[in-house]
Amino acid sequence: MFDSRIKSEQTDLLMQAILHLDSMEDAYRFFEDICTIPEIKSIAQRLEVAMLLRQKVTYQEIARRTGASSATISRVNRALTYGADGYRRVLDAMDED
């Protein structure tokens, strides 16, 4: 079983809420209420960076396509390499769809 470093009653509540979203519309509604627009855009950018890194796209090309800084690209790359496998698991699931 995975032992998260951020696990708490509050984060459990958040994860349960996310798991109860039934549609893209519900997801948009929830995230627009719970996050600021820049937070949503930042998370979306990181996910796109992770997808491109998995496709072996260069840092320069990723920066050009996404507008992400080299620090953000590096941080996402570290998470892909040494992280909790969250990006890998979600990207694998998305590939199956």
Side-chain angles (χ1 to χ4, degrees), residues 16-60:
Q16 284 295 323
I18 292 168
L19 290 172
H20 280 86
L21 298 171
D22 291 325
S23 67
M24 182 83 75
E25 180 180 340
D26 285 348
Y28 270 101
R29 288 175 181 271
F30 179 68
F31 279 93
E32 282 191 36
D33 283 351
I34 200 165
C35 296
T36 65
I37 303 290
E39 288 169 336
I40 295 168
K41 288 182 176 186
S42 178
I43 292 166
Q45 181 187 64
R46 286 185 224 145
L47 182 58
E48 184 179 14
V49 167
M51 291 174 66
L52 294 170
L53 284 168
R54 277 182 30 136
Q55 295 169 9
K56 305 295 187 208
V57 176
T58 66
Y59 274 37
Q60 284 182 329

Side-chain angles (χ1 to χ4, degrees), residues 58-69:
T58 66
Y59 274 37
Q60 284 182 329
E61 181 63 16
I62 293 170
R64 188 190 68 74
R65 287 192 203 178
T66 66
S69 68

